[in-house]
Amino acid sequence: MMKGINQVTTSILFTALVGVGSALPTVAQSLPATSSSYQQDLSPSQTAGAVPPEAAYTLGAGDTLRIDSFDTPDLVLEPRYPVLLDGSVNLPWVGSVSVKGLTLKEASERLRKRYSDFIKNPTITVSLVAARTLKIGVIGEVTRPGSYIVASNLISSSAVSSQANGPQNTLAAQQGGEESGSQWPTVSKAIQAAGGITEQANIRQIQVRRPGPNGEETIPVDLWKFLDAGDLTQDIRVRDGDTIVIPKADRLNPAEAIQIASSNFSPDAIKVNVVGEVAAPGAVAVKPNTTLNQAILAAGGFKGGRAKKAVELIRLNPDGTVERRTIAVDFSQKLDDKTNPPLRNNDVVVVNRNAIAAIGDSVGTFLGPIGGIFGLFNIFR
């Protein structure tokens, strides 16, 4: 009797061990897949803190969205959904949903929660098809300070998905299609819209004033680092409601002035007037920070033997005052605020005639009528 019981027990134990042994490969095979999925979620770009530009974008009226729900053939969605003036989108089944002020990820999560009343564990993907125009203020040392509407031209291929079980990177990557590329308006683009900086702009201490839920935030921008060292982080993206402030420089570095004048956030040209004893008097279009000497040469240079070497520079200041300076011209001088100053838009350079030319013109004026009388006399002889 005991021998039979022992045989049954041994048989049961053997069967259990075989079952465990056969189950072990299945568990072992599932571990790499879990590890791979985890590594995919923590890819190098994500662990480094890199996020797509759209991640910081907050939605508002005028945006156009693409919204997809996967594995739900009964839910029919349109290719495009505009964000209405009240900041909402109208969707099937759930009706009006507010997305104003939300990022793409937050909007996806909000829609997931709304659709979870109708769908078990929904997977919702939201992407930005076209971004709204931005209203931005640009004040200070720019050609045309004021309020500007800047087109964002943001087209997104990077969709953000939300699912109850976790992120679906593959689904997000498939959303792009032909909707690829992104252009964000930056500080330099906004300055270009305002006509470019003036000759006295301090591009090292630009401020971006940004309204936020906790009050106004001030972001410092040094476009000289961007221009000189190629530091693209300085040319930050602007947002709706930003105000860009360009202060006035205390002094002008000649070497920097030339490089700044050739940048794309300087105006293409300024207008100065060179009048008097030059070869081609009148308005001259020159590059920003063009010097007094260069403007005279652009007007053809001094008229031979007639120009006075000391010229007058007449400048209308922004406060309405008029500045008048006499500067002795020396064409060997480099850019210098005293001896060869950089010119500003609408400056007037007056090149007066010298003493010899003045005397000659006076004598010619006096003798002109007399010559006419002698001419008449010769006719009647």
Side-chain angles (χ1 to χ4, degrees), residues 6-237:
N6 289 337
Q7 288 178 349
V8 172
T9 304
T10 303
S11 177
I12 293 172
L13 290 174
F14 179 78
T15 304
L17 288 173
V18 171
V20 171
S22 62
L24 283 174
T26 304
V27 175
Q29 289 172 2
S30 65
L31 287 176
T34 305
S35 175
S36 175
S37 176
Y38 179 75
Q39 290 173 356
Q40 182 181 10
D41 294 341
L42 297 180
S43 61
S45 62
Q46 289 172 320
T47 54
V51 292
E54 296 89 334
Y57 187 83
T58 56
L59 300 173
D63 289 329
T64 303
L65 304 179
R66 175 173 174 173
I67 301 170
D68 291 284
S69 177
F70 297 91
D71 300 325
T72 54
D74 294 335
L75 177 59
V76 179
L77 294 169
E78 298 293 333
R80 305 286 188 272
Y81 283 98
V83 180
L84 305 178
L85 291 177
D86 62 354
S88 67
V89 288
N90 289 323
L91 300 171
W93 298 5
V94 296
S96 178
V97 180
S98 177
V99 295
K100 182 178 181 181
L102 302 181
T103 63
L104 293 178
K105 183 177 181 180
E106 292 168 341
S108 298
E109 178 62 20
R110 178 167 293 186
L111 294 182
R112 187 196 69 78
K113 290 180 179 178
R114 293 292 294 270
Y115 275 106
S116 63
D117 295 337
F118 305 90
I119 305 169
K120 184 179 179 180
N121 296 331
T123 300
I124 306 296
T125 300
V126 178
S127 58
L128 186 63
V129 174
R132 65 192 183 275
T133 55
L134 310 178
K135 187 175 182 180
I136 298 168
V138 187
I139 60 176
E141 294 298 321
V142 288
T143 305
R144 297 186 303 273
S147 179
Y148 288 87
I149 302 297
V150 181
S152 40
N153 297 328
L154 179 61
I155 299 178
S156 171
S157 64
S158 186
V160 178
S161 66
S162 177
Q163 185 189 28
N165 301 1
Q168 296 290 321
N169 293 338
T170 304
L171 294 177
Q174 292 174 351
Q175 281 307 111
E178 296 179 353
E179 299 164 2
S180 60
S182 61
Q183 290 183 323
W184 288 71
T186 60
V187 169
S188 64
K189 294 292 184 183
I191 291 175
Q192 288 175 13
I197 58 174
T198 68
E199 297 78 12
Q200 289 187 299
N202 180 359
I203 66 170
R204 293 180 182 271
Q205 296 179 342
I206 295 174
Q207 292 182 345
V208 177
R209 297 176 183 171
R210 177 167 295 167
N214 300 321
E216 186 177 80
E217 177 188 6
T218 300
I219 304 171
V221 173
D222 186 348
L223 283 184
W224 176 251
K225 288 184 180 179
F226 166 62
L227 188 63
D228 185 55
D231 186 359
L232 292 174
T233 62
Q234 295 297 323
D235 192 21
I236 67 171
R237 303 182 186 100

Side-chain angles (χ1 to χ4, degrees), residues 202-358:
N202 180 359
I203 66 170
R204 293 180 182 271
Q205 296 179 342
I206 295 174
Q207 292 182 345
V208 177
R209 297 176 183 171
R210 177 167 295 167
N214 300 321
E216 186 177 80
E217 177 188 6
T218 300
I219 304 171
V221 173
D222 186 348
L223 283 184
W224 176 251
K225 288 184 180 179
F226 166 62
L227 188 63
D228 185 55
D231 186 359
L232 292 174
T233 62
Q234 295 297 323
D235 192 21
I236 67 171
R237 303 182 186 100
V238 294
R239 297 185 186 177
D240 191 30
D242 282 355
T243 299
I244 302 170
V245 183
I246 298 93
K248 185 177 180 179
D250 296 329
R251 63 184 183 86
L252 191 65
N253 184 310
E256 291 183 7
I258 296 172
Q259 192 169 348
I260 293 171
S262 61
S263 68
N264 67 344
F265 45 81
S266 287
D268 293 333
I270 61 173
K271 185 184 73 173
V272 297
N273 291 279
V274 185
V275 298
E277 300 299 325
V278 288
V284 181
V286 294
K287 287 189 172 294
N289 285 320
T290 291
T291 64
L292 175 70
N293 291 350
Q294 290 172 327
I296 294 173
L297 293 174
F302 290 146
K303 190 178 288 185
R306 294 182 56 85
K308 192 175 181 180
K309 299 301 181 182
V311 302
E312 288 184 291
L313 175 60
I314 303 172
R315 174 171 295 164
L316 178 63
N317 295 315
D319 59 3
T321 61
V322 176
E323 179 184 350
R324 195 181 191 110
R325 298 169 55 187
T326 300
I327 301 170
V329 174
D330 180 357
F331 287 112
S332 65
Q333 288 286 336
K334 295 182 180 180
L335 187 150
D336 183 87
D337 194 55
K338 293 182 178 179
T339 59
N340 187 23
L343 300 182
R344 302 181 196 170
N345 196 38
N346 294 322
D347 276 354
V348 179
V349 179
V350 181
V351 181
N352 293 308
R353 56 187 176 178
N354 58 28
I356 297 175

